[in-house]
Amino acid sequence: MKYRSSRGGVSGIGFREAVMMGLATDGGLLIPHEIPDVKDKLGSWTSLTFQELAVNIMAEYIDDIPAEDLATLVDKSYARFDHEKITPVVQVSDFYVLELFHGPTLAFKDIALQFLGNVFEYILEEEQGHLNILGATSGDTGSAAIESIRGKSNINIFILFPEGKTSPVQEAQMTTVLDANVFNIAVEGSFDDCQSLMKTIFSDLSFKQEYELGAVNSVNWTRLLAQIVYYFFAWYELGKPETFDVSVPTGNFGNIFAGYLARRMGLPINKLILATNRNDILARFFETGVYQKGEVCFSESPAMDIQVSSNFERYLYYKLDGSCEKVAEFMGGFLQKGMARLDFNTRGFDESFMAGSVGDSETLGTIRDIYEQEDYLVDPHTAVCISVGSRLRTPETPLLCLSTAHPAKFENAISRAVPGLASHHERLEALAGLPTRKEKMGAEVDLVQAFIRQYGLH
Ligand SMILES: *Cc1c(COP(=O)(O)O)cnc(C)c1O
């Protein structure tokens, strides 16, 4: 399989090159030249383990890593999950929940990032290269990035987070990792400061090149690839229904785009239900065709407090019939005016999607209702997913809701939803009292660059 950019400036590159490139060099996003049709293989994949299924699906998109090496990478990536099925399906009331939170940091990002870290290490070893990963987090996703890189050869990771502005559990999940290749930088400033530091440093091209700076953000094709797998796995776990709806709590459009690919590969998904919180730019787009940026508002489901979704352009590429010029025009217009429009009348609404959003009080209400009626506790992102999914589902059709985090990660929201209730997880409790390491730093580019000069691989 070869990969190309959604903007047309890159094409014909292999999987390995696509992994190392991350964002396409022309500013677009990398996509496979074609989407393989696996309908005829679905029968023969019945009763495979998650890992076996992963190898089969990934091999459709990877032809420059030998099959046995790919199997080793997959096994390594899911060895730290605490459920033998990796992503089990449970029935709750009249719908099903796909639990994606059994990885090391209890969030669905582990599924893709654990694999990406191993693929990076594998490629760097063969090519005798090295990489310094730089990332910024408001608290929630930094630990998944750190856990994917800790202890790996030829890769260091530097994570910027706003000092004192992450929850104690979030900070502990990052700073208790003492591996020599992990550097937590506590920035005296806001999350915006962290992000702008990162952007400035990445735009210093000579520095970026000298230190082989890389990212593990959600535009990397490898992350999408790893996420396709659980859509298929869930279908087998459901007993291969003729068709089913899937509801997905959406922020950067990575998770649901993997579902879109699974559907185009031949998995019989009826509707992909896009669920958002009040940051509803995507929900509005799927209703009206207008893609218009608003102000980011803070919600009970912070991993979805996003206005501009970094993976949306991949979808746009397919929606605009693979025309790179039209993609560039749409995205250029959006960048300039904060708004762009797809004409649904001539183009037709996308029958694969439905979309909706919910506010915080309904989110907390959903947590409470499901807990009281079903004795099942969900985190706020999953609650958004269930709430919108239940509203938009197709009658007589199984509904699968993707659960993206363990409730214990969001204890404040849980106690607001059900006063007096606490959610526990032994992995989080085990962090209490462990030694920690972090470097406090002023929000200045020079300081961060000097730190990377000192501790980065080169
Ligand atoms: C990242 C994240 C999401 C959003 O997923 P996208 O792929 O960005 O759409 C939802 N829930 C949780 C808990 C997350 O960490």
Side-chain angles (χ1 to χ4, degrees), residues 75-139:
D75 283 344
K76 238 167 115 176
S77 302
Y78 300 108
R80 296 175 65 206
F81 280 60
D82 68 7
H83 197 290
E84 58 167 2
K85 295 218 156 165
I86 311 301
T87 62
V89 174
V90 297
Q91 183 168 7
V92 179
S93 167
D94 60 349
F95 57 88
Y96 299 87
V97 172
L98 175 61
E99 294 183 347
L100 301 174
F101 53 71
H102 289 279
T105 75
L106 314 183
F108 101 102
K109 303 235 168 17
D110 290 329
I111 293 169
L113 281 168
Q114 287 288 309
F115 181 65
L116 177 60
N118 284 312
V119 171
F120 270 151
E121 184 180 55
Y122 175 85
I123 295 175
L124 290 171
E125 197 145 290
E126 294 222 325
E127 296 176 1
Q128 305 205 320
H130 61 261
L131 203 56
N132 291 298
I133 303 287
L134 176 64
T137 181
S138 58

Side-chain angles (χ1 to χ4, degrees), residues 301-377:
S301 44
M304 290 149 60
D305 292 346
I306 286 167
Q307 281 291 336
V308 181
S309 297
S310 45
N311 272 296
F312 179 70
E313 182 169 337
R314 285 192 163 105
Y315 168 72
L316 205 57
Y317 173 85
Y318 292 104
K319 197 64 199 157
L320 293 171
D321 311 317
S323 161
C324 301
E325 297 79 45
K326 286 187 191 154
V327 171
E329 190 186 308
F330 186 100
M331 292 310 293
F334 177 70
L335 213 63
Q336 255 182 7
K337 293 179 252 155
M339 197 267 234
R341 180 192 303 269
L342 251 188
D343 189 351
F344 275 153
N345 293 333
T346 55
R347 203 161 284 283
F349 191 77
D350 193 324
E351 53 150 33
S352 23
F353 286 92
M354 298 189 75
S357 69
V358 290
D360 280 344
S361 62
E362 198 177 335
T363 303
L364 297 183
T366 301
I367 295 175
R368 186 173 53 243
D369 290 349
I370 295 172
Y371 178 71
E372 285 174 355
Q373 290 158 24
E374 307 294 332
D375 198 22
Y376 185 76
L377 190 58

Side-chain angles (χ1 to χ4, degrees), residues 200-217:
T200 310
I201 293 171
F202 268 107
S203 64
D204 180 345
L205 292 184
S206 69
F207 185 83
K208 176 170 181 273
Q209 257 178 2
E210 189 181 347
Y211 287 91
E212 302 280 356
L213 283 195
V216 289
N217 54 24

Side-chain angles (χ1 to χ4, degrees), residues 108-109 140 249-255 303-304 381 404-405:
F108 101 102
K109 303 235 168 17
D140 193 43
T250 298
N252 267 322
F253 205 75
N255 197 355
M304 290 149 60
H381 304 80
T404 48

Side-chain angles (χ1 to χ4, degrees), residues 50-68:
F50 180 95
Q51 289 89 333
E52 291 164 343
L53 186 62
V55 171
N56 278 279
I57 289 170
M58 289 173 176
E60 297 284 329
Y61 290 95
I62 301 176
D63 52 20
D64 51 10
I65 295 179
E68 56 280 19

